[in-house]
Amino acid sequence: MVFIIKKQLALLKNIQLVHSNDKLCQEFGFDSQGLSQCLPYFNGEKLWQQADYLSMVYSGHQFGIYVPRLGDGRAILLGEIKNNDQERWQLQLKGSGQTKYSRQGDGRAVLRSSIREYLASEALFHLGIPTTRALAVMSSDEAVYRERPESGALLIRATPSLIRFGSFEYFFYTDQHDCLKQLADHVIQDYYPECLKEENPYAKLLLNIVRRTATLIALWQVYGFNHGVMNTDNMSILGETFDYGPYAFLDDYIPGFICNHSDHAGRYAFNQQADVGLWNLNALAHALSPLIAHDDIVFALKHYELVFSQTYFTKLAARFGIAEINRESQELMLAGLTVLEELKADYHHFFRALSHAVANDDFDLKKITQSSRECEKSKLWLNAYEKLIKQQNLSMADSGQAMLAVNPKYILRTYLMDTAIEKAEQGDFSEVNNLMNCLSQPYAEQPEYEHYATAVPEWGKKLVLSCSS
């Protein structure tokens, strides 16, 4: 890998720890007080002894167009840390100032985007979706200019690896095939050691990344998450949700939903994510082609659709409370989603209400969809669904309880996050704290946070997001 070493950081004015992820911190053996004591080091006022702050080069396809050189433009790798299970994680400081790869940018992060990543990474983690995580958010009195002047911030991101598809693309397109092999060997050794037992470890590496990526994107689709910028430089080799920008969870079920207002062609719309995932894996496979035979590449890529489909229908069936997955039940699930689209029903409220309907044997269409709209197709679908559920071996009460365990009551809605950010920008981090607490138990009944599970106001469905988000 190519790293640029920085001997010092660009200081932010009056840096403050505004929120820490205490549960995650405890996994590494320290608490918020320990983080506070490290503030001068995170801000570059003091340096850890013999520390080298590293930034990594990579390239990538952005909106389908190859960009030869990108890299960590506003982030540095602080080093590795072991958790209580002795697993190695990397800590990255985001917003630390300019690097060699800043590309005329200021190298800063703002409080708004830092809070968005901080909350989203924890929200996805507690939903069971692979993701990078974050230890803490720090704010400052430094003015950073985006669409408007904002507060400069630092985010401490944590993950076992920060290597991207674009890391391999950089060495392939610059004809540095020795470095390409070195990077692949490093990834296998540290993250996919099972590949070492194979006749061709690189082919097995690609196959494993295909499987993890297919699983990840299937989970996005099942839980209504739209990433927004699925460039190859935003794709993790570990199959984690990575580089949060203009992401959003669905409110009303709109398959063509576009969360990124700059995505004019809808390349990264919600219903395009599965196809883009395969497109990105093709780009990775092309970058790895000096190490893998063509037939092995084809074999690996063929697994994408299979793994995606298996994961998607298995998880979706659990949300619907359907025990047996076959053609009939798959068609019933897809028909249910079509009904949601036609009724313009809220995706998450639907599944939670459906869980209660099954548990209580009370199939009232308006209660389930929370929609004043009604059509003959929706009535026919609900009758067919009720019939199927009642034919299963589980009792209705047990089926309903199983559904409640996989259908979250609490989701990180865009409007809730915007409200939390508005308060945070005024120095009030109470809503950030409330959302962190609430989203750590998304499936539980939490009476103190009931207001987070009410119907989304119309204005909350029309918020626009950009890559600077």
Side-chain angles (χ1 to χ4, degrees), residues 381-399:
W381 177 83
L382 188 59
N383 288 337
Y385 172 78
E386 182 181 357
K387 180 181 178 182
L388 177 65
I389 288 293
K390 289 183 174 179
Q391 288 174 343
Q392 297 183 155
N393 292 329
L394 276 177
S395 70
M396 296 291 281
D398 287 344
S399 291

Side-chain angles (χ1 to χ4, degrees), residues 113-308:
S113 60
S114 299
I115 289 174
R116 281 178 54 80
E117 177 161 349
Y118 183 61
L119 290 174
S121 58
E122 287 307 293
L124 264 68
F125 173 77
H126 290 290
L127 287 172
I129 301 174
T131 175
T132 56
R133 299 184 72 185
L135 285 174
V137 176
M138 291 161 276
S139 185
S140 76
D141 294 337
E142 188 92 9
V144 174
Y145 295 88
R146 294 296 181 259
E147 286 90 348
R148 56 183 172 85
E150 300 187 54
S151 298
L154 293 175
L155 178 78
I156 308 176
R157 178 194 272 172
T159 176
S161 177
L162 294 155
I163 297 171
R164 310 143 185 271
F165 289 12
S167 304
F168 289 97
E169 289 185 287
Y170 177 79
F171 293 117
F172 172 76
Y173 285 105
T174 54
D175 293 323
Q176 298 183 68
H177 292 178
D178 288 345
C179 292
L180 178 75
K181 182 178 182 300
Q182 183 182 352
L183 177 60
D185 289 341
H186 166 73
V187 170
I188 290 171
Q189 185 70 44
D190 280 22
Y191 308 110
Y192 293 96
E194 67 275 16
C195 296
L196 294 170
K197 302 174 184 177
E198 302 295 323
E199 182 178 349
N200 188 332
Y202 308 114
K204 184 67 172 180
L205 170 65
L206 177 61
L207 177 60
N208 285 347
I209 296 174
V210 167
R211 286 171 171 163
R212 287 198 186 191
T213 304
T215 299
L216 172 69
I217 298 174
L219 291 172
W220 286 356
Q221 299 307 115
V222 168
Y223 283 96
F225 178 78
N226 188 196
H227 183 279
V229 194
M230 290 176 63
N231 298 330
T232 58
D233 55 293
N234 292 338
M235 300 293 293
S236 163
I237 53 97
L238 298 183
E240 293 184 332
T241 312
F242 199 52
D243 278 0
Y244 291 89
Y247 70 84
F249 282 93
L250 295 180
D251 291 319
D252 295 344
Y253 183 67
I254 302 172
F257 175 70
I258 302 168
C259 64
N260 182 355
H261 82 83
S262 60
D263 183 10
H264 305 296
R267 178 181 177 86
Y268 299 139
F270 176 72
N271 61 2
Q272 297 300 311
Q273 292 185 135
D275 289 344
V276 172
L278 181 56
W279 194 100
N280 288 343
L281 285 164
N282 271 276
L284 174 63
H286 186 58
L288 288 169
S289 60
L291 305 175
I292 309 174
H294 175 75
D295 288 349
D296 288 335
I297 288 176
V298 172
F299 177 79
L301 293 174
K302 280 184 176 179
H303 279 72
Y304 178 84
E305 186 175 347
L306 175 65
V307 174
F308 178 90

